[in-house]
């Protein structure tokens, strides 16, 4: 029995749940293309979604995110002293269509190739270029597909550049920010922004000089950005040192991720985060659909007449859009 019809999301979801990787790949491609089928995928996936936990791994280009992710996956699959092996781990390497990521996808294939023979690991790159709702919507949809396919842990690797970092943080339960020694000198790093999104910091390439200074730098900034008071719900981001190329520190990172998850679950913050995330997702989807509608209603003779009226100063743009909206009492 082969992979079901390439265009039947319902059958594809059923097959993916049975472990059919080709079906899973096809579903993510449908999400990626954001065509009419993406909606059918969302409908098929909705009722069967599980309870996956998502970890975002972000950081500057070349920080070692893929190497680190690969080492983390190996640790998760092998289990640690106090943690059972994870049965199914998925990695989604997201290409936010920025010029920074040229070649990243090929690089990821090479660096994550270690897991090619492990049936419990699914690794996939995804481009969000064509996705109208952008990175955040595409990521949320793909994560739900992986969740439905039975992956209980989903790692989202994204090259962090400003807004992209924030978008990834919005999509993940735990956000890991990867920096390198000497990062303190990197003027382009948006440090305040990173402080806001990071649940954990990793100083990767800890085999290079400058680790202690970088740690001090991070600790200082965490001190400054710590919320006032010492409430029990407050989480102070851990700083983990790793040498991803030899998997050094991967066990500590895995332990830190689990500690953070436990913190979120026991404080009620996880539910709150997820509520905020879905609110954000609905807003984005609504905005996307309204934008499509706006494009649709700016075609045809009626619109042309309105446009000319604005052009000739017979009508102001607000009044023109009132007419298009069929309302006159919209607040800005
Ligand atoms: N010395 C040293 N090199 C490392 C370490 N981790 C990764 N590297 C190297 O850094 C380079 C980039 O690693 P990647 O894992 O591709 O980094 P990335 O952040 O995924 O890169 P992009 O996805 O392209 O942004 C590779 O040559 C790695 O071998 C480390 O701990 N120490
Ligand atoms: Mg990478």
């Amino acid at each position: 029995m082969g992979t079901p019809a390439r265009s039947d999301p319902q059958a594809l979801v059923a097959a993916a749940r049975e472990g059919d990787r080709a079906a899973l790949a096809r579903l993510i491609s449908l999400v990626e293309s954001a065509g009419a089928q993406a909606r059918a995928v969302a409908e098929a996936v909705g009722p069967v979604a599980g309870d996956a936990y998502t970890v975002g791994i972000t950081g500057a280009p070349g920080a070692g995110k893929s190497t680190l992710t690969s080492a983390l996956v190996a640790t998760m699959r092998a289990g640690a002293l106090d943690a059972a092996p994870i049965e199914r781990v998925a990695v989604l390497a997201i290409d936010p269509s920025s010029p920074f990521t040229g070649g990243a996808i090929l690089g990821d294939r090479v660096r994550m190739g270690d897991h090619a023979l492990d049936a419990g690991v699914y690794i996939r790159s995804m481009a969000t270029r064509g996705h109208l709702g952008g990175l955040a919507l595409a990521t949320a949809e793909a994560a739900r597909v992986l969740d439905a396919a039975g992956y209980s842990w989903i790692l989202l690797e994204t090259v962090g550049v400003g807004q992209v970092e924030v978008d990834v943080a919005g999509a993940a339960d735990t956000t890991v920010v990867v920096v390198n020694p000497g990062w303190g000198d990197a003027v382009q790093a948006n440090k305040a922004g990173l402080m806001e999104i990071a649940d954990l910091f990793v100083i990767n390439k800890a085999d290079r000089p400058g680790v202690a200074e970088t740690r001090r730098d991070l600790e200082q900034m965490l001190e400054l950005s710590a919320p006032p008071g010492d409430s029990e719900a407050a989480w102070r981001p851990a700083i983990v040192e790793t040498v991803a190329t030899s998997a050094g520190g991967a066990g500590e990172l895995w332990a830190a991720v689990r500690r953070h998850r436990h913190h979120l679950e026991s404080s009620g913050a996880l539910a709150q985060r997820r509520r905020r995330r879905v609110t954000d997702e609905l807003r984005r989807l609504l905005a996307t659909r309204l934008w499509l509608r706006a494009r649709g209603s700016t075609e045809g003779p009626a619109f042309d007449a309105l446009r000319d009226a604005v052009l000739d100063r017979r009508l102001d743009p607000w009044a023109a859009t009132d007419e298009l909206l069929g309302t006159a009492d919209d607040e800005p």
Side-chain angles (χ1 to χ4, degrees):
M1 197 181 74
T3 294
R6 291 168 64 78
S7 55
D8 177 4
Q10 207 95 41
L12 286 170
V13 169
R17 286 171 69 75
E18 296 296 315
D20 181 338
R21 295 159 85 93
L24 179 53
R26 178 69 192 143
L27 284 166
I28 294 183
S29 294
L30 289 174
V31 164
E32 192 174 38
S33 69
Q37 292 279 33
R39 177 176 189 148
V41 171
E43 279 170 6
V45 153
V48 292
D51 187 28
Y53 193 86
T54 49
V55 180
I57 298 171
T58 188
K65 300 176 295 296
S66 298
T67 314
L68 185 68
T69 300
S70 181
L72 179 61
V73 166
T75 303
M76 294 170 81
R77 288 284 295 141
L81 279 180
D82 55 342
I86 301 299
E87 248 174 68
R88 283 179 158 200
V89 184
V91 177
L92 204 53
I94 300 150
D95 174 0
S97 38
S98 92
F100 295 99
T101 56
I105 290 178
L106 182 62
D108 287 337
R109 290 242 169 82
V110 175
R111 276 183 270 288
M112 298 203 208
D114 304 356
H115 306 290
L117 296 176
D118 185 344
V121 179
Y122 180 80
I123 295 173
R124 159 81 191 225
S125 295
M126 187 174 78
T128 59
R129 215 173 313 261
H131 202 284
L132 250 180
L135 173 87
L137 277 186
T139 306
E141 286 171 2
R144 266 201 286 269
V145 168
L146 291 166
D147 189 3
Y151 290 87
S152 58
W153 285 82
I154 301 170
L155 311 183
L156 309 168
E157 181 200 329
T158 311
V159 178
V161 192
Q163 185 56 40
V164 167
E165 264 154 3
V166 176
D167 285 351
V168 177
D173 295 320
T174 292
T175 298
V176 177
V177 172
V178 183
V179 301
N180 295 138
W183 169 77
D185 317 323
V187 278
Q188 72 272 33
N190 169 17
K191 292 181 184 175
L194 290 182
M195 289 295 135
E196 245 166 71
I197 64 162
D199 297 308
L200 301 172
F201 277 103
V202 167
I203 306 176
N204 185 47
K205 307 196 184 183
D207 52 326
R208 294 190 174 170
V211 176
E213 292 90 321
T214 300
R215 176 179 278 277
R216 252 200 318 276
D217 193 30
L218 286 172
E219 273 167 357
Q220 228 163 45
M221 280 186 294
L222 286 172
E223 207 60 60
L224 291 173
S225 61
D230 208 49
S231 101
E232 239 184 285
W235 167 261
R236 193 186 156 89
I239 303 172
V240 180
E241 292 168 20
T242 60
V243 181
T245 35
S246 62
E252 285 79 356
L253 174 58
W254 177 219
V257 168
R258 282 181 292 123
R259 264 201 309 280
H260 184 246
R261 178 178 184 166
H262 177 75
H263 163 81
L264 289 182
E265 285 173 346
S266 57
S267 64
L270 183 60
Q272 196 185 339
R273 260 182 200 209
R274 289 179 171 180
R275 268 198 302 275
R276 209 182 309 138
R277 186 192 309 166
V278 173
T279 300
D280 183 57
E281 185 184 355
L282 294 180
R283 271 193 198 132
R284 283 176 199 268
L285 187 55
L286 190 58
T288 303
R289 297 185 69 181
L290 288 173
W291 168 244
L292 287 174
R293 184 183 286 181
R295 259 199 343 209
S297 46
T298 47
E299 281 161 10
F303 173 76
D304 290 347
L306 277 174
R307 180 200 56 209
D308 293 342
V310 174
L311 204 57
D312 301 341
R313 308 284 177 105
R314 281 176 281 121
L315 203 60
D316 71 81
W318 285 83
T321 45
D322 278 346
E323 260 185 62
L324 289 166
L325 288 167
T327 168
D329 55 7
D330 241 13
E331 290 302 318

